[in-house]
Amino acid sequence: MQAFDIDVRNRIVKLVKGILDQNALTADVAPATKLVDVGLTSMDMVNLMLGVEAEFDFTIPQAEITPENFVSVETLERMVVSQLQPANAA
């Protein structure tokens, strides 16, 4: 795994843990852990989406706002990396 991907993953984990902290929840957030299993609600997913956009300074395209992309840190990471890759390669 490249350093860029690890940075993306760590930043997403930090966002998820921040939302859990706001809800007074604690959980181990592994890359493959389902976000609903650690306690994130649909409103939390909206906050996570907005947090990802702010953290990585891009707007998630409508086509990428799918339940499949918000299953876990791993799926979010893949989506973010795929969106940032063209900008990163330039």
Side-chain angles (χ1 to χ4, degrees):
M1 184 177 291
Q2 297 175 343
F4 175 72
D5 295 348
I6 293 170
D7 178 57
V8 169
R9 177 173 292 176
N10 289 340
R11 290 163 69 183
I12 292 170
V13 167
K14 185 176 177 183
L15 288 169
V16 170
K17 287 186 175 186
I19 292 170
L20 290 173
D21 287 346
Q22 288 174 355
N23 295 337
L25 299 171
T26 56
D28 287 329
V29 182
T33 304
K34 290 185 177 181
L35 297 176
V36 294
D37 290 347
V38 295
L40 266 62
T41 65
S42 58
M43 283 305 296
D44 293 330
M45 294 295 187
V46 171
N47 288 329
L48 180 58
M49 179 192 74
L50 296 172
V52 165
E53 289 182 333
E55 177 71 22
F56 296 98
D57 194 30
F58 79 101
T59 301
I60 299 172
Q62 189 70 34
E64 298 297 325
I65 302 173
T66 64
E68 295 81 15
N69 282 336
F70 286 82
V71 170
S72 66
V73 169
E74 199 170 55
T75 59
L76 258 173
E77 175 190 346
R78 276 197 301 268
M79 185 270 296
V80 169
V81 168
S82 74
Q83 294 302 307
L84 296 179
Q85 212 61 51
N88 201 35

